């Protein structure tokens, strides 16, 4: 029994000594955390989507608190309202940004871009892209496996079975960029929603020459440059056989839309053109019978 008691006492003493050592080590290397980080994190939406460029909301809150100014930091999910609250909590000034939305720069529907083979592997855009260029003649377009659908935490992306392309709900999309980051083709762009949510975008990224691109997809941009010449604001550039519209320069005149010979340029949320009212047909005037005055008979008696 004496041996057991001695062992227990020794272990207890060793445990107490180690605890004291760990306590002093922890005090020496203790990192003081700013209490404002907890305040900012509580204001953030807590989506942890990574759209702000941080690992999560906690990391984003830490960056905001430590940053000398918050103009370059923005939470796409919370938007301007959340950033105003964060700025108020830190005693700083918020910088407003335009709301953004995800746009698929591809119009290669099943009708426009027929399949040339069938992929029987795991239904993932990342997997398909790692194996070959895709199941159509266009090696730049959407693969249609729905990786962007799975990446969206807000239910803003759905795969249309008829077109084979993902569709984005503007009312649910926060512009966080999660869908864009998982797209192996890099064809999902986060763009400004635009004035009154109106946008003009080239829905094609095919860099092949015109004839090759058009053969692969009926709605492909052929790099003809007609849209660039038609744009009075210099918002369109043609690089590597494909046009691109800079939304910061675009004034939504839509001249490029009518000039595009393949229909690769689309306009969103524009009001439908008003029907041209035809002038009312003038009533056909019927000839009015005019009664002639009666001629007095001359009975030979004179006037």
């Amino acid at each position: 029994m004496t041996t057991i008691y001695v062992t227990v006492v020794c272990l207890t003493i060793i445990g107490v000594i180690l605890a004291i050592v760990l306590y002093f080590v922890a005090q020496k290397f203790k990192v003081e955390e700013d209490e404002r980080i907890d305040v900012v994190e509580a204001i953030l939406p807590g989506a942890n989507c990574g759209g702000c460029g941080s690992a999560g909301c906690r990391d984003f809150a830490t960056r905001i608190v430590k940053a000398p100014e918050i103009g370059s930091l923005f939470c796409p999910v919370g938007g301007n309202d959340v950033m105003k609250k964060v700025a108020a909590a830190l005693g700083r000034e918020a910088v407003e940004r335009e709301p953004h939305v995800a746009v698929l720069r591809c119009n290669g529907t099943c009708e426009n871009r027929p399949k040339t083979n069938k992929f029987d592997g795991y239904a993932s855009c990342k997997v398909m892209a790692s194996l070959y260029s895709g199941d159509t003649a266009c090696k730049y377009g959407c693969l249609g496996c729905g990786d962007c659908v799975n990446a969206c935490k807000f239910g803003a992306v759905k795969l249309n079975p008829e077109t084979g392309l993902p569709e984005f709900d503007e009312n649910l999309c926060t512009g966080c960029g999660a869908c864009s980051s998982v797209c192996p083709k890099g064809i999902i762009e986060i763009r400004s929603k635009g004035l009154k949510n109106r946008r003009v975008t080239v829905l094609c990224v095919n860099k092949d020459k015109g004839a090759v691109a058009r053969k692969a997809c009926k709605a492909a941009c052929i790099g003809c440059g007609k849209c660039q010449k038609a744009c009075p604001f210099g918002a369109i550039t043609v690089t590597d056989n494909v046009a691109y519209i800079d939304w910061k320069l675009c004034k939504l005149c839509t001249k490029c839309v009518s000039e595009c010979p393949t229909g690769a340029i689309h306009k969103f949320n524009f009001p439908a053109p008003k029907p041209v009212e035809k002038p009312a047909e003038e009533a056909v005037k019927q000839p009015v019978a005019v009664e002639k005055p009666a001629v007095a008979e001359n009975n030979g008696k004179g006037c």
Side-chain angles (χ1 to χ4, degrees), residues 126-146:
K126 184 177 181 180
V127 173
M128 184 187 293
S130 65
L131 297 175
Y132 69 134
S133 59
D135 51 7
T136 69
C138 177
K139 60 183 178 180
Y140 299 95
C142 176
L143 298 174
C145 292

Side-chain angles (χ1 to χ4, degrees), residues 89-271:
L90 298 176
R92 300 179 184 178
E93 184 177 355
V95 179
E96 291 193 10
R97 291 190 185 181
E98 297 181 36
H100 285 57
V101 67
V103 176
L104 179 71
R105 293 191 60 205
C106 176
N107 194 34
T109 62
C110 299
E111 181 181 356
N112 293 333
R113 186 180 49 141
K115 294 184 181 295
T116 56
N117 55 75
K118 184 178 180 180
F119 179 69
D120 291 328
Y122 179 70
S124 168
C125 298
K126 184 177 181 180
V127 173
M128 184 187 293
S130 65
L131 297 175
Y132 69 134
S133 59
D135 51 7
T136 69
C138 177
K139 60 183 178 180
Y140 299 95
C142 176
L143 298 174
C145 292
D147 287 16
C148 52
V149 178
N150 299 327
C152 182
K153 297 183 178 181
F154 308 98
V157 191
K158 292 183 179 179
L159 202 61
N160 189 324
E162 295 183 0
T163 62
L165 299 176
E167 296 179 347
F168 299 85
D169 189 334
E170 296 183 11
N171 297 322
L172 299 177
C173 180
T174 62
C176 68
C179 56
S180 178
S181 61
V182 300
C183 179
K185 295 292 185 177
I187 59 175
I188 300 179
E189 183 182 14
I190 307 301
R191 295 174 68 96
S192 169
K193 281 189 174 182
L195 181 65
K196 296 182 180 179
N197 291 344
R198 298 174 186 174
R199 299 179 302 281
V200 181
T201 311
V202 180
L203 300 187
C204 183
V205 293
N206 195 324
K207 297 180 181 180
D208 292 330
K209 292 185 177 181
V212 178
R214 188 65 186 275
K215 186 177 180 181
C217 179
K218 297 178 182 179
C221 174
I222 57 177
C224 63
K226 289 185 176 181
C227 55
Q228 186 177 15
K229 295 177 182 178
C231 181
F233 307 104
I236 305 178
T237 54
V238 179
T239 307
D240 294 333
N241 303 313
V242 63
Y244 178 78
I245 300 177
D246 187 344
W247 57 268
K248 296 180 180 179
L249 299 177
C250 179
K251 303 301 181 183
L252 305 176
C253 68
T254 70
K255 290 183 179 180
C256 56
V257 179
S258 57
E259 286 291 331
C260 181
T262 64
I265 304 178
H266 286 241
K267 58 181 181 180
F268 296 89
N269 302 325
F270 281 79

Side-chain angles (χ1 to χ4, degrees), residues 42-56:
I43 298 174
L44 297 175
N48 294 313
C49 61
C52 57
S54 304

Side-chain angles (χ1 to χ4, degrees), residues 54-72:
S54 304
C57 291
R58 181 73 179 182
D59 183 36
F60 183 61
T62 303
R63 289 176 58 196
I64 290 180
V65 171
K66 293 182 178 180
E69 54 87 22
I70 62 176
S72 60

